[in-house]
Amino acid sequence: MTIKQKQCLLAYLGYYTGSVDGIWGNQSRTATKSFQRDYQLSVDGSFGEVTAQRIREVIASGEEPVKLSRQPQSGSGADWWKEIRYFTREEFRCPCSRCGGFPVEPEESIVRLADRVRGHFGAPVTVSSGVRCVEHNREVGGVAASRHLRGKAMDFTVSGVAGSTVLAYVQSMGGVRYAYAIDSSFVHMDVE
Ligand SMILES: [Zn+2]
Ligand SMILES: [Zn+2]
């Protein structure tokens, strides 16, 4: 089986969201691991004969793949989103057109912090960057270890409030790992 074929099968079952480029990189390995985990194979991220055979069986069975059956129906998924007053999951979506928007889920703690910021200032908050896939992160010049890649960071602005004021409040909240002003109105904050 060629790498492209492997990527196609993983994509068909919802595990691989990258481009079918024939390059066996991190995304391919991660997708393979998550397939192996769901179907009780040994999780090594290498797509060998056992994995190949299992994936053919799963596709031939016509059953809904574990990965897709786990996808939230209404787009919001986890229960804690119901407790979030001011944000929807969509606002944290990776804006590129390739990754499907959520290569990872936004971390609960960062969304809860965002809710607190919004409540504190009582003014609209615009999220300019939440979750990022590797490609989009590269495009916007994000560092390789950016917490945006793990759903643990957000960049935002509070309408009518100076970035320095927002930053001071963010830094006063517990639970923020790191925050800085991107410019005079946008602030980055992230969590552990
Ligand atoms: Zn993306
Ligand atoms: Zn950021």
Side-chain angles (χ1 to χ4, degrees):
M1 207 185 283
T2 67
I3 290 176
K4 281 189 179 181
Q5 285 169 331
K6 294 173 182 177
Q7 289 172 332
C8 277
L9 296 181
L10 288 165
Y12 180 76
L13 294 178
Y15 288 90
Y16 182 68
T17 53
S19 49
V20 177
D21 54 10
I23 299 165
W24 197 254
N26 257 333
Q27 264 187 292
S28 302
R29 278 192 293 274
T30 305
T32 304
K33 279 185 191 171
S34 126
F35 173 81
Q36 291 169 330
R37 200 170 295 120
D38 282 352
Y39 290 92
Q40 287 91 43
L41 305 173
S42 62
V43 180
D44 59 6
S46 82
F47 197 117
E49 254 323 296
V50 177
T51 301
Q53 194 186 331
R54 191 75 183 95
I55 205 165
R56 285 196 201 96
E57 284 168 14
V58 171
I59 290 172
S61 78
E63 282 165 27
E64 186 177 33
V66 174
K67 173 81 173 177
L68 296 178
S69 66
R70 262 205 311 265
Q71 300 283 317
Q73 307 300 314
S74 62
S76 110
D79 263 5
W80 56 264
W81 276 106
K82 298 195 190 84
E83 294 165 27
I84 302 299
R85 286 185 67 186
Y86 300 109
F87 295 89
T88 63
R89 178 171 171 267
E90 282 301 303
E91 290 174 84
F92 289 81
R93 165 185 286 278
C94 177
C96 88
S97 54
R98 296 172 303 266
C99 69
F102 295 98
V104 292
E105 285 300 314
E107 182 87 8
E108 177 179 351
S109 55
I110 193 90
V111 180
R112 287 192 186 276
L113 287 168
D115 231 24
R116 274 178 64 191
V117 172
R118 170 68 179 78
H120 175 80
F121 289 106
V125 167
T126 304
V127 182
S128 59
S129 182
V131 168
R132 292 177 195 163
C133 64
V134 175
E135 278 182 57
H136 180 65
N137 187 56
R138 200 177 295 133
E139 277 166 9
V140 298
V143 295
S146 169
R147 277 181 153 68
H148 288 279
L149 295 170
R150 296 197 269 146
K152 293 183 172 190
M154 69 183 284
D155 303 340
F156 64 99
T157 180
V158 183
S159 183
V161 182
S164 55
T165 307
V166 175
L167 180 63
Y169 178 69
V170 165
Q171 288 172 332
S172 76
M173 290 191 298
V176 175
R177 187 198 69 110
Y178 187 59
Y180 62 89
I182 298 167
D183 58 24
S184 59
S185 49
F186 284 85
V187 167
H188 163 104
M189 72 174 176
D190 62 49
V191 294
E192 203 53 66

